[in-house]
Amino acid sequence: MTAAERAILVGLDQILQSERVQTLIRPVVERVRAKLSREATSLMAWEPIPLTVYCGVLPGAVKSSWVFVLRAGANTGAERHPNSHQRMMSFQGSGDMQLQAESSAPNDEGWQSNILISDSAVPLEKRWISIPQNVWHQPVISKEADWVVVSFHTVSAEKLIEERPETSGRERTKQMRYLG
C-alpha cells in the first residue's frame, strides 16, 4: 500500500470512528439487515449512504458510500468495478475479501485472502481494504454471522457498475448497476 493510499484510509477510518457518523450509519445498517432477512435467497443487500452523513470531510475522490450486509456462510462470487476504486471497512462481523491480482477474467486459483475484522483496536490493514479499479474481488463470509461493511467509491451511486463473469465463459462479463 502506498503512503498516499494509506493516508486516504486513515482519513476515512477517523471519519467512521466518529460517534456522530456511527449514529447516523446504524439506521442504514438496520434497514439493510431487515432487507436481507426478508429476501431469504439473496446473498447480500445494500443501500447507499448519503454523503451528507460525513459532514463534508470526505476525500475529494470519494463520490459515493454504501452499506452492504453479506449473508453468513456466503461467497457472493467474483466481481469488479470497471469505473471505480473501492475502499472498504469491516463495520460489524468479519469476512475474507479475496483479491485476484490479474485484471483478466477470474479463475479458481490465485485468490489472495484478506481477513478483515471489526475491531478498532487492530491495525488498519486488518479492518480496511483498498481495491483498485478493475481488480477482481470476492467476499467470503464466515458461517457465524452476517458481515456488515461500509464501502466508498470514486463514482456516484448512480454510476457505480458491478461486473461479474458470465457463466457461459469466464472471459465474458455482464454488468449491472447497484441503483436503478
Side-chain angles (χ1 to χ4, degrees):
M1 179 182 318
T2 67
E5 185 60 25
R6 183 170 177 70
I8 291 170
L9 295 182
V10 166
L12 291 171
D13 190 59
Q14 289 171 345
I15 293 164
L16 280 176
Q17 296 304 323
S18 155
E19 187 57 40
R20 181 190 175 284
V21 169
Q22 287 194 14
T23 298
L24 293 169
I25 289 176
R26 282 188 198 109
V28 179
V29 169
E30 292 314 309
R31 280 194 305 273
V32 178
R33 274 189 190 281
K35 180 180 180 187
L36 185 63
S37 70
R38 286 190 308 270
E39 299 173 358
T41 59
S42 293
L43 298 177
M44 64 180 165
W46 59 87
E47 182 178 317
I49 301 170
L51 295 184
T52 55
V53 162
Y54 303 109
C55 304
V57 293
L58 290 170
V62 172
K63 304 296 183 206
S64 64
S65 179
W66 302 77
V67 164
F68 284 84
V69 179
L70 303 130
R71 191 174 303 282
N75 175 339
T76 66
E79 67 175 76
R80 67 180 176 185
H81 304 288
N83 66 340
S84 180
H85 186 124
Q86 178 180 6
R87 294 167 177 102
M88 188 194 86
M89 177 195 164
S90 184
F91 194 74
Q92 294 174 355
S94 63
D96 183 4
M97 182 56 78
Q98 298 178 353
L99 302 182
Q100 208 162 47
E102 297 294 320
S103 61
S104 59
N107 56 52
D108 294 334
E109 298 175 14
W111 290 102
Q112 176 188 349
S113 182
N114 298 277
I115 305 294
L116 301 176
I117 62 174
S118 303
D119 180 352
S120 60
V122 302
L124 185 85
E125 295 79 9
K126 301 256 184 219
R127 295 178 288 120
W128 282 88
I129 192 161
S130 178
I131 307 168
Q133 186 173 329
N134 262 336
V135 171
W136 290 103
H137 53 283
Q138 64 179 1
V140 179
I141 301 85
S142 71
K143 293 181 173 128
E144 286 78 43
D146 293 342
W147 188 24
V148 179
V149 301
V150 174
S151 185
F152 295 90
H153 283 272
T154 56
V155 295
S156 67
E158 298 77 21
K159 292 181 181 176
L160 181 59
I161 295 171
E162 172 190 275
E163 194 168 61
R164 291 188 176 266
E166 287 274 354
T167 54
S168 61
R170 298 292 248 178
E171 66 285 345
R172 298 186 57 195
T173 63
K174 60 182 175 186
Q175 293 185 344
M176 68 163 262
R177 293 183 192 257
Y178 287 108
L179 294 182

